[in-house]
Amino acid sequence: MLHNKKRIISVTLVFALLLGAFWTCPAAAAAEDDFPSDALIIIGDKTITYNMTLDDVIDMFGEPKIMTDSLFGGKTCTFYGDNYSDYLYIETNSNNRVAVYGSISDDFRMKTISAGQQNVYSYYVQSKMDYRSNNQQVVCGALDINYYAGIMNRNDYTALFNQDICTANKNMIPHSVAMFNAATELYGYNTPVVYDEDVYNRVLQLAENGNNPHLFAQKNNRAGYEYFTSYGSGSWFLHPMAFASRATGYTFPESKNLAAFVNYTANDNTCYYCGSVSSELFVNTEHPVALTAEEQTKLQNAKERYTASVNTWNNEPDYYEVDPSVQELPINAGKIKDAKIDGAIGYINAIRAGAGLKDLERNDALVEGAQAKAAYTRYLGYAGISNSNPHYPPKADGISDEFYQKCMMGGSENLYMGSVLSSITNALSDGYGDPINCGHRRNLLDPYASQIGLGSVENQGAHKFYGGQTSDIDFVCWPSKGITPAGVAGTTAQWTIWAYNGYRFRDDTYVTITLLNKDNASWTITSDGSNSKYTSFGTSSISFYNEELALTPGYVYQVTLHNVLKTKTQEVTDYTYRAAIAELYNSAGEENPELTLDRDELTIVKGETEKLHGILDPNGGSKYTVEWTSSDPTVATVSSCGEVTAVRRGRAVITAVCGTEEKECVVNVISNVLLGDIDGDGDVSINDVTCLQKYLAQYKVNAEITLDNADTNNDGHIDINDATTIQRYLVGFISSLE
């Protein structure tokens, strides 16, 4: 087996950010000695100078593709041509001058930095490294500010952003999405994200409560519907390149390509989230799947072992009975408390029980050997002794034959990071030591293994095994054929299938996987890896990874192995099994947060929009979101982030629901016009009736018709009934047109 062999993921064309005056630190060396003294940025043959206004820029670049309000007092604009050529991002101040400017075009130039510049080392520049070009930093984009335009300080900017975080995000994020997609095309990644209004609103709702899609997905065990590149906190001006910088070096899956970019605050820090999601992160389209009687038995067996192992582990506060000493000779391997060893063995037996495998028994000689091997492995590192194959290390001077034999005992062995407990979880995931074939996992799930010993020294774990157990198991799988404990394998995993009992895989063997909790959710895994990554097909093992196969509690997968050979009969057949993901413990779950609305009554003018805020306490990291509904959408609609839009005069009740909490806000929609004043002369008279009747009869009307004032009976239509309503008002039959 391989031992802790790390994989380095190469990243091509990298992305750099020039954050100019957003931090106070030394500037990069000038990119162009002949750069014009009054220029801010040059893109192709177009030059933006210090004193230009937005109108000047529009004259040069044409109308912006996106224009929104800027917190600097003016507008935020994104310009680009065909195939994102001449890409320019600017923000203007209240005097209409360029305050912020940036580009990701491959020919942009600034005074301090230019596209394609290499080996730029500056605090201004944030970039990834290209492992295939001698660790060069390659600038693909930059953002800076115009000192001469005047700029508010960061604290004032952040306070202004937080006053209406929903509107501030909606003004910025469309530019971020455009810049991100431009970068994916310009620099060859071709994995654009898609704007979806409902997803966008839900992400903003999370941000208002100091939350983000990654935390929400983790809390709800729905990580398979979310893909993030980064999130964090700090002190900075907010800008779209913080998201666009992630467009290079990442591949966004098509199943999770709805843009989920957001800025928010948590614990008084400016935070950001950059990633993408599936709409199903927020809208559950799944249905429960009942476990079979056999699966229920496996789950019960696993739960019993798991509960016993937790109690055994927790009842012993100390880890070592004798502390190890391994930095120099003589080596003292130390001794771990029996309760810790037994608790960890109970843990792996719980996992084996879920897979229908027999328990492993503790072997004290193997325990002593595993502890010796962990100690010796750490000593070799301290001594600087070459150890190319950790499972067969050299016998160093000063090491007794007895100690060395203890190190080498056992039928098979794992060396993995962690304590005697965490090293089991780490080895099951096998992300480093043997990431494709997962040999460490195979040892832990070996159906023929009968005895085990565990050891650990300074986070170096060791597992030793003896065989000798009989087994009639056909296939050992991960996720298991039976029950896989939720959380043990993470949110996704490298799937493995090992053939036993006379089964073998052929050249034409392939795998189909169906998620029974969802309709039309099926995947085909072939040896060419066309629908999977890190794929390996052999005669006795299959291994693959697909990020869409989430290990979410309650999920049940049906797996079919096609064209499998039964060597005893030479029959080629299909073999089907189920893999269920289940909790081994009953958690209390997150307490339903208290829901508060920022107001319980709202008066709003027809055609306008107001924001309601659903405040959750406690908020950060909550698994809950607020669901909004309107009692009468013909009067007022409400979005999934609480934005109320007034449709017509009347009254509607907006209801906010969060788990068991429910709050209401009464919305009164009024008109800002003089109803019945059809001719717009500021008075309601018989002439208005005449104008409306002529309009409805399609006669020529000399006076300008003000149709916004015409729906006098508030039924959503303009017809003869409105003329009648005005007449009734004029003769006193009704007292008001409201």
Side-chain angles (χ1 to χ4, degrees), residues 7-24:
R7 293 177 296 171
I8 298 177
I9 300 175
S10 296
V11 178
T12 57
L13 280 173
V14 298
F15 207 106
L17 301 184
L18 178 64
L19 300 180
F22 295 171
W23 286 307
T24 55

PDB file of all heavy atoms in Angstrom, residues 7-24:
ATOM      1  N   ARG A   7      -1.510  14.266  -3.208  1.00  0.00           N
ATOM      2  CA  ARG A   7      -1.732  14.625  -4.601  1.00  0.00           C
ATOM      3  C   ARG A   7      -1.651  16.132  -4.733  1.00  0.00           C
ATOM      4  O   ARG A   7      -2.237  16.862  -3.957  1.00  0.00           O
ATOM      5  CB  ARG A   7      -3.109  14.156  -5.075  1.00  0.00           C
ATOM      6  CG  ARG A   7      -3.257  12.649  -5.136  1.00  0.00           C
ATOM      7  CD  ARG A   7      -4.649  12.281  -5.549  1.00  0.00           C
ATOM      8  NE  ARG A   7      -5.602  12.727  -4.548  1.00  0.00           N
ATOM      9  CZ  ARG A   7      -6.899  12.706  -4.705  1.00  0.00           C
ATOM     10  NH1 ARG A   7      -7.421  12.305  -5.831  1.00  0.00           N
ATOM     11  NH2 ARG A   7      -7.711  13.110  -3.754  1.00  0.00           N
ATOM     12  N   ILE A   8      -0.942  16.605  -5.741  1.00  0.00           N
ATOM     13  CA  ILE A   8      -0.871  18.028  -6.018  1.00  0.00           C
ATOM     14  C   ILE A   8      -1.708  18.299  -7.250  1.00  0.00           C
ATOM     15  O   ILE A   8      -1.495  17.735  -8.307  1.00  0.00           O
ATOM     16  CB  ILE A   8       0.576  18.499  -6.255  1.00  0.00           C
ATOM     17  CG1 ILE A   8       1.406  18.256  -4.984  1.00  0.00           C
ATOM     18  CG2 ILE A   8       0.613  19.951  -6.654  1.00  0.00           C
ATOM     19  CD1 ILE A   8       2.861  18.623  -5.146  1.00  0.00           C
ATOM     20  N   ILE A   9      -2.692  19.169  -7.086  1.00  0.00           N
ATOM     21  CA  ILE A   9      -3.583  19.487  -8.204  1.00  0.00           C
ATOM     22  C   ILE A   9      -3.005  20.663  -8.963  1.00  0.00           C
ATOM     23  O   ILE A   9      -2.802  21.742  -8.418  1.00  0.00           O
ATOM     24  CB  ILE A   9      -4.992  19.824  -7.688  1.00  0.00           C
ATOM     25  CG1 ILE A   9      -5.554  18.608  -6.926  1.00  0.00           C
ATOM     26  CG2 ILE A   9      -5.912  20.206  -8.829  1.00  0.00           C
ATOM     27  CD1 ILE A   9      -6.885  18.903  -6.279  1.00  0.00           C
ATOM     28  N   SER A  10      -2.729  20.458 -10.222  1.00  0.00           N
ATOM     29  CA  SER A  10      -2.175  21.533 -11.031  1.00  0.00           C
ATOM     30  C   SER A  10      -3.238  22.549 -11.359  1.00  0.00           C
ATOM     31  O   SER A  10      -4.379  22.222 -11.596  1.00  0.00           O
ATOM     32  CB  SER A  10      -1.606  20.963 -12.337  1.00  0.00           C
ATOM     33  OG  SER A  10      -0.533  20.100 -12.058  1.00  0.00           O
ATOM     34  N   VAL A  11      -2.834  23.789 -11.396  1.00  0.00           N
ATOM     35  CA  VAL A  11      -3.742  24.877 -11.725  1.00  0.00           C
ATOM     36  C   VAL A  11      -3.133  25.644 -12.883  1.00  0.00           C
ATOM     37  O   VAL A  11      -2.029  26.159 -12.769  1.00  0.00           O
ATOM     38  CB  VAL A  11      -3.950  25.818 -10.516  1.00  0.00           C
ATOM     39  CG1 VAL A  11      -4.864  26.966 -10.898  1.00  0.00           C
ATOM     40  CG2 VAL A  11      -4.520  25.043  -9.342  1.00  0.00           C
ATOM     41  N   THR A  12      -3.845  25.701 -13.975  1.00  0.00           N
ATOM     42  CA  THR A  12      -3.360  26.469 -15.107  1.00  0.00           C
ATOM     43  C   THR A  12      -3.779  27.908 -14.942  1.00  0.00           C
ATOM     44  O   THR A  12      -4.378  28.276 -13.950  1.00  0.00           O
ATOM     45  CB  THR A  12      -3.911  25.888 -16.412  1.00  0.00           C
ATOM     46  OG1 THR A  12      -5.325  25.888 -16.344  1.00  0.00           O
ATOM     47  CG2 THR A  12      -3.436  24.455 -16.610  1.00  0.00           C
ATOM     48  N   LEU A  13      -3.479  28.723 -15.953  1.00  0.00           N
ATOM     49  CA  LEU A  13      -3.694  30.164 -15.941  1.00  0.00           C
ATOM     50  C   LEU A  13      -4.309  30.708 -14.667  1.00  0.00           C
ATOM     51  O   LEU A  13      -5.442  30.422 -14.343  1.00  0.00           O
ATOM     52  CB  LEU A  13      -4.589  30.551 -17.117  1.00  0.00           C
ATOM     53  CG  LEU A  13      -3.885  30.655 -18.460  1.00  0.00           C
ATOM     54  CD1 LEU A  13      -4.886  30.858 -19.553  1.00  0.00           C
ATOM     55  CD2 LEU A  13      -2.878  31.759 -18.457  1.00  0.00           C
ATOM     56  N   VAL A  14      -3.592  31.507 -13.956  1.00  0.00           N
ATOM     57  CA  VAL A  14      -4.024  31.940 -12.643  1.00  0.00           C
ATOM     58  C   VAL A  14      -4.606  33.326 -12.681  1.00  0.00           C
ATOM     59  O   VAL A  14      -4.531  34.025 -13.671  1.00  0.00           O
ATOM     60  CB  VAL A  14      -2.849  31.882 -11.646  1.00  0.00           C
ATOM     61  CG1 VAL A  14      -2.349  30.461 -11.488  1.00  0.00           C
ATOM     62  CG2 VAL A  14      -1.718  32.775 -12.134  1.00  0.00           C
ATOM     63  N   PHE A  15      -5.185  33.752 -11.548  1.00  0.00           N
ATOM     64  CA  PHE A  15      -5.925  34.993 -11.484  1.00  0.00           C
ATOM     65  C   PHE A  15      -5.323  35.862 -10.399  1.00  0.00           C
ATOM     66  O   PHE A  15      -5.115  35.401  -9.293  1.00  0.00           O
ATOM     67  CB  PHE A  15      -7.389  34.678 -11.143  1.00  0.00           C
ATOM     68  CG  PHE A  15      -8.345  35.690 -11.659  1.00  0.00           C
ATOM     69  CD1 PHE A  15      -9.131  35.398 -12.751  1.00  0.00           C
ATOM     70  CD2 PHE A  15      -8.451  36.919 -11.057  1.00  0.00           C
ATOM     71  CE1 PHE A  15     -10.029  36.322 -13.228  1.00  0.00           C
ATOM     72  CE2 PHE A  15      -9.345  37.844 -11.533  1.00  0.00           C
ATOM     73  CZ  PHE A  15     -10.130  37.546 -12.615  1.00  0.00           C
ATOM     74  N   ALA A  16      -5.025  37.100 -10.710  1.00  0.00           N
ATOM     75  CA  ALA A  16      -4.462  37.993  -9.705  1.00  0.00           C
ATOM     76  C   ALA A  16      -5.376  39.181  -9.509  1.00  0.00           C
ATOM     77  O   ALA A  16      -5.996  39.650 -10.437  1.00  0.00           O
ATOM     78  CB  ALA A  16      -3.085  38.477 -10.147  1.00  0.00           C
ATOM     79  N   LEU A  17      -5.430  39.706  -8.311  1.00  0.00           N
ATOM     80  CA  LEU A  17      -6.257  40.860  -7.989  1.00  0.00           C
ATOM     81  C   LEU A  17      -5.358  41.993  -7.524  1.00  0.00           C
ATOM     82  O   LEU A  17      -4.552  41.814  -6.618  1.00  0.00           O
ATOM     83  CB  LEU A  17      -7.234  40.533  -6.859  1.00  0.00           C
ATOM     84  CG  LEU A  17      -8.207  39.390  -7.096  1.00  0.00           C
ATOM     85  CD1 LEU A  17      -9.137  39.304  -5.917  1.00  0.00           C
ATOM     86  CD2 LEU A  17      -8.964  39.635  -8.363  1.00  0.00           C
ATOM     87  N   LEU A  18      -5.531  43.145  -8.106  1.00  0.00           N
ATOM     88  CA  LEU A  18      -4.880  44.335  -7.593  1.00  0.00           C
ATOM     89  C   LEU A  18      -5.907  45.066  -6.765  1.00  0.00           C
ATOM     90  O   LEU A  18      -6.900  45.542  -7.284  1.00  0.00           O
ATOM     91  CB  LEU A  18      -4.398  45.220  -8.747  1.00  0.00           C
ATOM     92  CG  LEU A  18      -3.741  46.533  -8.320  1.00  0.00           C
ATOM     93  CD1 LEU A  18      -2.472  46.240  -7.560  1.00  0.00           C
ATOM     94  CD2 LEU A  18      -3.461  47.399  -9.515  1.00  0.00           C
ATOM     95  N   LEU A  19      -5.691  45.135  -5.469  1.00  0.00           N
ATOM     96  CA  LEU A  19      -6.689  45.709  -4.584  1.00  0.00           C
ATOM     97  C   LEU A  19      -6.313  47.121  -4.160  1.00  0.00           C
ATOM     98  O   LEU A  19      -6.857  47.653  -3.205  1.00  0.00           O
ATOM     99  CB  LEU A  19      -6.873  44.802  -3.365  1.00  0.00           C
ATOM    100  CG  LEU A  19      -7.335  43.390  -3.744  1.00  0.00           C
ATOM    101  CD1 LEU A  19      -7.505  42.558  -2.491  1.00  0.00           C
ATOM    102  CD2 LEU A  19      -8.613  43.435  -4.530  1.00  0.00           C
ATOM    103  N   GLY A  20      -5.350  47.704  -4.854  1.00  0.00           N
ATOM    104  CA  GLY A  20      -4.993  49.100  -4.707  1.00  0.00           C
ATOM    105  C   GLY A  20      -5.091  49.633  -3.303  1.00  0.00           C
ATOM    106  O   GLY A  20      -4.557  49.088  -2.366  1.00  0.00           O
ATOM    107  N   ALA A  21      -5.816  50.735  -3.131  1.00  0.00           N
ATOM    108  CA  ALA A  21      -5.909  51.397  -1.843  1.00  0.00           C
ATOM    109  C   ALA A  21      -6.829  50.690  -0.883  1.00  0.00           C
ATOM    110  O   ALA A  21      -7.125  51.203   0.179  1.00  0.00           O
ATOM    111  CB  ALA A  21      -6.379  52.834  -2.045  1.00  0.00           C
ATOM    112  N   PHE A  22      -7.323  49.507  -1.229  1.00  0.00           N
ATOM    113  CA  PHE A  22      -8.163  48.763  -0.309  1.00  0.00           C
ATOM    114  C   PHE A  22      -7.344  48.242   0.861  1.00  0.00           C
ATOM    115  O   PHE A  22      -7.873  47.848   1.871  1.00  0.00           O
ATOM    116  CB  PHE A  22      -8.843  47.592  -1.017  1.00  0.00           C
ATOM    117  CG  PHE A  22      -9.812  48.035  -2.078  1.00  0.00           C
ATOM    118  CD1 PHE A  22     -10.368  47.116  -2.945  1.00  0.00           C
ATOM    119  CD2 PHE A  22     -10.154  49.365  -2.213  1.00  0.00           C
ATOM    120  CE1 PHE A  22     -11.260  47.512  -3.919  1.00  0.00           C
ATOM    121  CE2 PHE A  22     -11.050  49.770  -3.192  1.00  0.00           C
ATOM    122  CZ  PHE A  22     -11.593  48.845  -4.044  1.00  0.00           C
ATOM    123  N   TRP A  23      -6.047  48.175   0.717  1.00  0.00           N
ATOM    124  CA  TRP A  23      -5.146  47.882   1.824  1.00  0.00           C
ATOM    125  C   TRP A  23      -4.042  48.929   1.797  1.00  0.00           C
ATOM    126  O   TRP A  23      -3.728  49.504   0.762  1.00  0.00           O
ATOM    127  CB  TRP A  23      -4.525  46.485   1.705  1.00  0.00           C
ATOM    128  CG  TRP A  23      -5.462  45.387   2.021  1.00  0.00           C
ATOM    129  CD1 TRP A  23      -6.210  45.249   3.148  1.00  0.00           C
ATOM    130  CD2 TRP A  23      -5.751  44.257   1.205  1.00  0.00           C
ATOM    131  NE1 TRP A  23      -6.953  44.116   3.078  1.00  0.00           N
ATOM    132  CE2 TRP A  23      -6.692  43.478   1.909  1.00  0.00           C
ATOM    133  CE3 TRP A  23      -5.312  43.809  -0.036  1.00  0.00           C
ATOM    134  CZ2 TRP A  23      -7.200  42.291   1.431  1.00  0.00           C
ATOM    135  CZ3 TRP A  23      -5.807  42.629  -0.530  1.00  0.00           C
ATOM    136  CH2 TRP A  23      -6.743  41.883   0.205  1.00  0.00           C
ATOM    137  N   THR A  24      -3.418  49.147   2.918  1.00  0.00           N
ATOM    138  CA  THR A  24      -2.304  50.080   2.969  1.00  0.00           C
ATOM    139  C   THR A  24      -1.017  49.284   3.016  1.00  0.00           C
ATOM    140  O   THR A  24      -0.636  48.743   4.046  1.00  0.00           O
ATOM    141  CB  THR A  24      -2.410  50.990   4.204  1.00  0.00           C
ATOM    142  OG1 THR A  24      -2.506  50.170   5.362  1.00  0.00           O
ATOM    143  CG2 THR A  24      -3.647  51.870   4.120  1.00  0.00           C
TER     144      THR A  24
END
